[in-house]
Amino acid sequence: MSRRKRFNVVLTLSLIASAAPGCSGGGTKEQAAPAAEPKSTGAPAADYGDTGGIKPPIVDKPTTLTWMLVSDKPNLNNSLVVKEIEKRTGIKLDIQAYSSQSYNDKLKVVVASGKLPDIFHGLKLAEVNKMGGQGALTPINNYLNELPNFKKLYVDNKDNNWVMKSWSDDKNNMYTWPIYGLQRDVNHGFLYRKDIFDKLGIKEWTNTDEFYQALKKLKEAYPGSYPYASKTKEGIFKDWSYGWGLGGASYPAYYEEKSKTWKLAYTQPEYKDMLDFMKKLYNEGLMDPEFVTDTDASWTAKMTTNNKSFVTFDWIGRLDMFANQVKSQNPEYNLRYGNPVGPTGHIRTLPKIDNFGIVVPNGKNKEIALKLLDYLTSPSGSSLVTLGVEGVNLKMENDKPVYPELKDGPVDISTLESKYGMWLEGMYLRPDRRSVYYNFTEKEKEAQDKIVKDNKFEPADPVLKFTDEETKTLAELRTTLEKAANEFSTKYVMKKEFGDAEWKDWQQSAEKLGASKYIAAYNSAQQRYDSGK
C-alpha cells in the first residue's frame, strides 16, 4: 500500500529485554477524580451499526487510554473520530502521535523505558513475542470470550485462523492484533506510455518477448531514449521476481508449490533467466543504465518529459499523478497499467491480513484496550475509522461516501486524517471497502480488472512460525545474503563479461554465505506448520 506507512522497527534484543514484566503499563491512567460522563445519547448499540457482538459502552466509568501511533497531524485528541469513540465506548483517548520520521526512534526510547502506552504498534513479530514471553504484553488468546469480533475473524474462520498458529509464540500465546482487508488487489506493476505506444502503432505486450519487441521499437523511434527506466534501485530484482515464479512475502525465500519446499531465489535457474533478460535489455540500450542508482526526481523527469523513457514499474497511483503533473504541457500524456512480464505472467499477491505489530501491554487497562480494539474491528468501528459518521461528516450516495465540507478539493485518506482523525495508522483494523481508498480512478480500475479477471497472481506463500534459534539464524544471514546477491546481480546485468562461469561462482559464494542454512530454517518451520505444531 503506497499511502500506508509501514515501519519495520529494528530494536536490539537487549533493548526489548529492558521492557521487563512489571514495568509495562506505565503509560496507562484512569481518571481518579469524578468527571463528567462521556457524551452519550443513551442510544442502543444498534444505532452504531453492526458491532459484532461487543456492546458499547465498553466501560462503566470514564477511562483514559494512551495510544501511541504514527501521524504528523496536530490536535488528534480533538478530532471527530477520537470524540466519537469516547461517545460510543466511554473511553477517552490520549493519542501520542509521532511523525513517520521520528516514530521509530521514539518507540525505541519508550520500549527501553518500560513505560508503555496502553496501545502501540511498530515492533516486529519476533520482538513482540519476546516481550510477550517476558510478561510485558497481553496475550489476546486469554480473552477470546470477551472479543467476539477477533474470535469470529481469526479463530473461527478457517481461512484466517492460520494467524493463531503462525503469529503466536512457542507457548501459543498471541500478542499481535491483525489488520484485515487493508490491501487492494493490485497496487504495483509495469506501467507504460500508451500515448506513445499508440502513436507508434505498438500493441501492449502479452508476454515477455512482446515486451522486449516493444522496447526495441521504442528505441528505434527514439534512439536517444532508454525505453525502460527504474527508480527502485536493487528493488528491481524483487519487483520482477514474481514474473519468474520467485517472489513472495518472505523474499528472497519463496515457497515452490510444485515441490512443496522453500528455496532461495538468488541461486535458482529462474533467477539467472531473469538476470539474462535484464542483461539483454541493458546491453541493447533498452534499459536505463542508471537503473540501480536513479533518484525519484530524475526518474520522474525521464518518465514525464523529453521522451527519454516510456515503461517502468511502480505504484498505480502514478497513473493519474504523472498525467496531472504534465497535463498543461502534454494533455495527451497517457500512462497505463501493463500486463505482467516474465514466464509466469503473475504479479504479487497482497496479503488479506497485515501485521503492524499492534499490541496491548500487560497493564491495568489491558482488558479495556483489547475490547476497544475489538470494537474497532467490528463493521461499526471499521466504518467509523475509515468512513466517518454518517449525518455528521459524510453522507452516502450510491453506496459511496461524500464529504460536504471537502467538496471543493480532492478527498483522499490523508485529507480525511487531517480533517477528522480518520485512517490513523495502527487504528484502522478492518477498513470499510466503501472508503475513498478503494474508489479507483478509471486507470486504476483498469489495472484491477486486468489482473483480477484472469487471476494473474503468484500464489501466496505460507506464513511460518520460527523458533528463537531459527529467527536468530535468519537475522544473521539475511543481510549478508541480500547485500551479496544485489551486488552480484547488478554486476551480472551491467558487465558484458559476466556469464555462466560467474553464475556458478556466485552459487558457490552464496552457499558459503549460508544459503542452505537460511533455507533450512524455512523448511523446518514448514514441517511444523504442516503437522499442525
Side-chain angles (χ1 to χ4, degrees):
M1 173 180 180
S2 181
R3 153 64 178 83
R4 170 170 68 82
K5 303 178 287 293
R6 183 69 174 96
F7 302 100
N8 291 321
V9 183
V10 181
L11 301 180
T12 64
L13 294 181
S14 61
L15 176 60
I16 296 172
S18 65
C23 295
S24 65
T28 64
K29 57 183 179 179
E30 191 167 338
Q31 295 178 351
E37 290 290 326
K39 294 180 181 179
S40 174
T41 62
D47 284 358
Y48 299 134
D50 181 0
T51 63
I54 195 156
K55 299 178 181 179
I58 290 173
V59 295
D60 56 10
K61 61 180 178 180
T63 303
T64 296
L65 297 183
T66 52
W67 194 330
M68 181 177 172
L69 48 72
V70 174
S71 181
D72 56 7
K73 311 304 180 186
N75 303 318
L76 288 174
N77 289 326
N78 294 318
S79 66
L80 178 142
V81 167
V82 170
K83 293 296 185 183
E84 187 69 19
I85 286 174
E86 182 180 1
K87 172 184 172 183
R88 297 184 185 189
T89 68
I91 298 170
K92 182 179 179 66
L93 292 179
D94 177 10
I95 301 294
Q96 301 172 352
Y98 300 92
S99 70
S100 59
Q101 291 76 23
S102 64
Y103 187 86
N104 291 357
D105 290 337
K106 184 63 179 178
L107 183 60
K108 291 179 184 179
V109 174
V110 169
V111 171
S113 74
K115 297 179 180 179
L116 305 175
D118 292 303
I119 306 172
F120 69 94
H121 73 280
L123 296 176
K124 293 180 179 179
L125 182 60
E127 297 164 343
V128 166
N129 286 341
K130 186 171 182 67
M131 285 182 66
Q134 294 170 339
L137 303 177
T138 304
I140 301 168
N141 47 288
N142 287 352
Y143 299 89
L144 293 179
N145 290 335
E146 301 174 51
L147 307 172
N149 289 288
F150 182 97
K151 185 174 183 296
K152 181 179 180 181
L153 198 55
Y154 301 115
V155 179
D156 299 337
N157 187 312
K158 62 181 179 61
D159 293 328
N160 302 336
N161 60 14
W162 60 264
V163 300
M164 301 299 294
K165 179 167 60 173
S166 297
W167 290 8
S168 58
D169 66 6
D170 56 4
K171 295 180 180 178
N172 295 317
N173 284 321
M174 172 85 162
Y175 301 100
T176 299
W177 198 285
I179 300 173
Y180 183 77
L182 170 64
Q183 304 287 355
R184 304 186 284 196
D185 292 321
V186 178
N187 227 18
H188 291 81
F190 288 89
L191 315 180
Y192 72 102
R193 287 280 304 275
K194 188 176 186 301
D195 54 316
I196 300 297
F197 273 58
D198 289 348
K199 176 183 176 181
L200 300 176
I202 304 173
K203 292 183 179 180
E204 180 192 351
W205 64 88
T206 61
N207 56 51
T208 310
D209 184 63
E210 289 179 5
F211 177 78
Y212 166 68
Q213 296 298 334
L215 297 185
K216 283 187 65 176
K217 292 176 182 177
L218 290 165
K219 183 73 173 181
E220 291 169 2
Y222 299 95
S225 72
Y226 293 103
Y228 185 89
S230 180
K231 73 170 177 63
T232 59
K233 298 181 169 59
E234 291 90 350
I236 188 174
F237 304 119
K238 180 180 179 180
D239 292 337
W240 284 36
S241 67
Y242 296 86
W244 275 261
L246 305 169
S250 300
Y251 183 89
Y254 74 100
Y255 185 73
E256 185 183 70
E257 284 73 20
K258 184 179 179 180
S259 64
K260 297 188 181 304
T261 58
W262 287 81
K263 295 184 176 182
L264 183 69
Y266 298 145
T267 57
Q268 301 309 306
E270 294 86 355
Y271 191 79
K272 181 178 182 295
D273 291 342
M274 181 182 76
L275 295 183
D276 282 332
F277 181 65
M278 290 183 176
K279 188 179 186 72
K280 179 166 71 169
L281 301 186
Y282 183 87
N283 287 341
E284 296 183 21
L286 307 181
M287 177 180 282
D288 187 350
E290 298 179 319
F291 76 99
V292 290
T293 59
D294 217 354
T295 64
D296 278 13
S298 174
W299 166 80
T300 297
K302 291 170 184 175
M303 286 298 302
T304 56
T305 60
N306 301 322
N307 292 325
K308 292 296 184 182
S309 297
F310 314 97
V311 184
T312 192
F313 186 102
D314 200 47
W315 170 53
I316 62 171
R318 204 73 63 182
L319 298 170
D320 294 287
M321 186 183 299
F322 275 178
N324 289 334
Q325 287 178 9
V326 301
K327 62 183 178 182
S328 60
Q329 298 90 3
N330 185 6
E332 303 301 318
Y333 187 96
N334 188 9
L335 192 65
R336 293 285 177 161
Y337 190 89
N339 283 310
V341 175
T344 70
H346 290 164
I347 70 165
R348 71 187 69 183
T349 295
L350 296 173
K352 288 185 178 180
I353 301 174
D354 281 289
N355 186 348
F356 281 20
I358 301 168
V359 294
V360 170
N362 191 20
K364 64 181 179 180
N365 288 334
K366 59 187 177 184
E367 292 184 50
I368 296 171
L370 288 173
K371 288 180 179 179
L372 175 59
L373 293 179
D374 196 72
Y375 170 66
L376 296 179
T377 302
S378 74
S380 172
S382 163
S383 174
L384 167 60
V385 172
T386 59
L387 269 184
V389 184
E390 191 167 2
V392 177
N393 73 322
L394 84 145
K395 57 182 179 178
M396 299 299 293
E397 295 182 358
N398 299 319
D399 209 34
K400 300 289 185 183
V402 175
Y403 300 91
E405 293 179 310
L406 304 175
K407 64 180 185 301
D408 295 330
V411 179
D412 57 21
I413 59 178
S414 180
T415 306
L416 296 174
E417 180 184 356
S418 297
K419 182 71 174 176
Y420 303 116
M422 295 166 56
W423 278 100
L424 294 175
E425 182 183 322
M427 189 179 285
Y428 51 82
L429 304 178
R430 188 182 183 179
D432 193 309
R433 301 298 285 194
R434 297 173 295 172
S435 167
V436 296
Y437 183 68
Y438 307 99
N439 287 351
F440 299 113
T441 67
E442 180 263 331
K443 294 178 182 178
E444 292 172 338
K445 181 65 165 56
E446 180 183 71
Q448 306 296 315
D449 293 343
K450 178 174 288 188
I451 302 300
V452 173
K453 180 181 177 182
D454 294 321
N455 192 27
K456 298 178 180 179
F457 295 100
E458 189 70 2
D461 292 342
V463 179
L464 305 178
K465 178 164 67 178
F466 299 99
T467 65
D468 289 345
E469 187 61 31
E470 288 165 349
T471 298
K472 182 180 178 182
T473 296
L474 295 174
E476 289 175 347
L477 298 179
R478 176 171 182 142
T479 301
T480 302
L481 282 167
E482 185 175 58
K483 183 175 184 293
N486 285 336
E487 288 178 355
F488 166 76
S489 301
T490 301
K491 289 179 180 177
Y492 189 93
V493 171
M494 298 180 70
K495 291 182 176 292
K496 290 186 177 181
E497 64 270 23
F498 269 52
D500 292 345
E502 286 73 19
W503 170 255
K504 291 178 181 178
D505 289 344
W506 157 244
Q507 288 179 307
Q508 294 173 2
S509 296
E511 188 60 34
K512 292 177 182 178
L513 293 173
S516 292
K517 190 176 180 182
Y518 187 86
I519 290 302
Y522 278 89
N523 282 312
S524 295
Q526 184 68 45
Q527 289 177 0
R528 294 193 302 274
Y529 183 95
D530 292 338
S531 63
K533 294 181 181 179

